Amino acid sequence: MDPIAPADAKALDTALTEPSAVTTDVPAAPGGSGAAGLRGRLGPLGLVLSGGISVQFGAAVAVWLMPRAGALGVVSLRLAVAAVVLLVVCRPRVRGLSRTDWGTVLVFGVAMAGMNGFFYQAADRIPLGAAVTLEVLGPLALSVIASRRLVNLLWAGLALCGVVLLSGGGFGGLNLVGVAFALAAGGMWAAYIIFSARTGARFPRADGLALAMTVGALLMLPLGIADAGSKLLVPSTLGLGAAVALMSSVLPYTLELLALRRLPASTFAVLMSLEPAIAATAGFLVLHQALSGVDALAIALVIVASMGAVRTQVTGK
């Protein structure tokens, strides 16, 4: 999973509304009554949900591809293809960048590579819905810490209850290595949030994202080659890897950028809290990973906790 949106409202307001500043000439969504107003309100929501569906079904395809190329091989293919596409589209300027600019991009790229690498290792070992649910704990913890409001302890406790339910009281039903990878991915997601905001503040358009994606691809490619070797050059593997890159990076980034021109960042963050449910659905439909009633309840608790934390953060501001 490579969610473009964090669950931390403060970072969202900086990182995700930055592109909107470049597109201030885009008219706001119609606010009138009737069909036109309804289309104006539902349009951005549809774009965000479509992006989320694309990300998680792309992750399901990636899991399906892993027996051919390995988890690291799939990650390297995804990041490499996405980097090439972003470099061609954005053509970022590299001259005149300060040492701080390069440092920000490098750390952002490391966070991106770690987030994807750890998550795909987790998804190779535990169900997709469980992996995303555990990963979401990273942004949720960041949101709770950033808000410094007592009510967010309630949301943290609710999320903890969900994790306990998901673990069956001790993660006996889940691969412990997969759980560790998912939690590590959550920590890298929190770092991704912070440096996404800093990169957005220092670079125009998506230039910083393109450079960071390139850094992530260069970091993961040697690991992917070591893991999969010549399997990465099989045409069908390359084709599926390109499909994963388009579904999990290029398409959702584009849809979300369009949506954020008319959608408040706080609403965007709440919608991103639905990622575990979308992931569980993708896992069921593509990978035939069934959920028990207890698993579904656990995922629902984490979703509610994430939504509550975001709304509390925005209300506090």
Side-chain angles (χ1 to χ4, degrees), residues 64-101:
W64 184 68
L65 180 59
M66 284 176 190
R68 299 190 186 188
L72 294 177
V74 174
V75 174
S76 62
L77 279 178
R78 173 189 166 178
L79 292 181
V81 173
V84 170
V85 171
L86 287 171
L87 287 174
V88 170
V89 172
C90 299
R91 290 180 293 179
R93 179 178 59 86
V94 296
R95 292 184 178 180
L97 298 180
S98 68
R99 183 178 299 180
T100 304
D101 291 336

Side-chain angles (χ1 to χ4, degrees), residues 1 12 28 37 69-70 80 95 98 101 111 114 142 144-145 153 169-170 172-173 180 191 205 207 224 263 298 301 313:
M1 172 189 186
L12 271 167
R95 292 184 178 180
S98 68
D101 291 336
L142 180 61
V144 171
I145 294 171
L153 294 178
R205 300 170 299 169
D207 287 13
L263 193 67
L301 289 176
Q313 179 83 350

Side-chain angles (χ1 to χ4, degrees), residues 116-264:
N116 283 278
F118 287 140
F119 176 76
Y120 276 43
Q121 290 282 1
D124 194 30
R125 292 169 171 82
I126 61 178
L128 190 60
V132 176
T133 301
L134 292 169
E135 187 191 26
V136 163
L137 296 180
L140 177 60
L142 180 61
S143 181
V144 171
I145 294 171
S147 70
R148 299 178 182 178
R149 300 188 69 192
L150 189 60
V151 68
N152 265 345
L153 294 178
L154 170 64
W155 304 125
L158 193 64
L160 183 61
C161 290
V163 171
V164 170
L165 282 177
L166 191 66
S167 70
F171 291 104
L174 295 176
N175 181 289
L176 291 180
V177 176
V179 170
F181 275 128
L183 294 175
M188 297 304 290
W189 191 0
Y192 170 93
I193 292 169
I194 295 170
F195 284 92
S196 174
R198 295 182 182 180
T199 301
R202 302 191 70 90
F203 289 85
R205 300 170 299 169
D207 287 13
L209 175 63
L211 293 174
M213 187 73 74
T214 303
V215 171
L218 291 175
L219 288 174
M220 293 303 303
L221 198 55
L223 299 177
I225 293 174
D227 187 34
S230 60
K231 295 178 183 178
L232 294 177
L233 299 178
V234 176
S236 59
T237 301
L238 283 172
L240 286 172
V244 170
L246 293 174
M247 292 176 68
S248 295
S249 296
V250 179
L251 181 60
Y253 289 169
T254 303
L255 293 175
E256 290 162 0
L257 179 62
L258 292 173
L260 281 163
R261 293 176 177 178
R262 295 184 294 168
L263 193 67

Side-chain angles (χ1 to χ4, degrees), residues 284-312:
F284 175 74
L285 294 177
V286 178
L287 304 172
H288 309 293
Q289 296 174 342
L291 285 177
S292 68
V294 174
D295 291 338
L297 176 60
I299 291 174
L301 289 176
V302 174
I303 290 173
V304 171
S306 297
M307 288 182 171
V310 170
R311 298 306 298 175
T312 301

